[in-house]
Amino acid sequence: MRKILPIVEVEWVDTMGFPGWSQIKERKNDMEEKDLEVHVSCGYLVAKTKNYIAVAHGQHNEGKVVDSTIRIPRCAVRNVTIIRKKKKGKK
């Protein structure tokens, strides 16, 4: 039997940077929470640990290979929604 991974939607906050020299006061104003970039990624849940969540954008037909995996640090995760639970498929 092949293993079909659960499908999840992960809402997470991205890091941001400001190149070049600037006044500290200016940078503090830029870093208010209202300016955070929030992303939503959907895919196959490869791993879920206390430190990170790994989501793949594709899963091979036999269930042993995944494609384009991202690892999101737990401290950046705002919400995880299960779209489809893990299931076993026929080979």
Side-chain angles (χ1 to χ4, degrees), residues 11 16 20 46 59 77-78:
E11 182 180 313
M16 54 194 301
V46 175
Q59 182 179 17
V77 174
R78 285 193 164 177

Side-chain angles (χ1 to χ4, degrees), residues 17-53:
F18 302 93
W21 292 92
S22 59
Q23 297 292 319
I24 293 172
K25 183 178 180 181
E26 186 180 330
R27 282 301 141 237
K28 284 183 179 180
N29 290 338
D30 288 339
M31 294 191 196
E32 292 296 319
E33 187 171 347
K34 66 181 184 291
D35 294 324
L36 294 176
E37 294 289 328
V38 178
H39 298 274
V40 177
S41 296
C42 294
Y44 295 93
L45 181 63
V46 175
K48 185 177 180 182
T49 73
K50 67 177 186 170
N51 295 319
Y52 66 87
I53 292 177

Side-chain angles (χ1 to χ4, degrees):
M1 273 205 197
R2 65 186 175 124
K3 178 181 172 183
I4 301 172
L5 297 171
I7 296 176
V8 295
E9 177 185 88
V10 182
E11 182 180 313
W12 55 284
V13 179
D14 201 359
T15 59
M16 54 194 301
F18 302 93
W21 292 92
S22 59
Q23 297 292 319
I24 293 172
K25 183 178 180 181
E26 186 180 330
R27 282 301 141 237
K28 284 183 179 180
N29 290 338
D30 288 339
M31 294 191 196
E32 292 296 319
E33 187 171 347
K34 66 181 184 291
D35 294 324
L36 294 176
E37 294 289 328
V38 178
H39 298 274
V40 177
S41 296
C42 294
Y44 295 93
L45 181 63
V46 175
K48 185 177 180 182
T49 73
K50 67 177 186 170
N51 295 319
Y52 66 87
I53 292 177
V55 177
H57 295 267
Q59 182 179 17
H60 188 271
N61 213 8
E62 293 178 8
K64 296 180 181 178
V65 179
V66 292
D67 178 49
S68 301
T69 304
I70 61 168
R71 186 174 76 174
I72 306 165
R74 277 291 195 156
C75 61
V77 174
R78 285 193 164 177
N79 188 48
V80 178
T81 303
I82 297 173
I83 296 171
R84 185 190 72 200
K85 293 183 179 185
K86 177 173 78 172
K87 62 182 184 177
K88 293 182 180 179
K90 297 177 182 178
K91 188 166 184 174

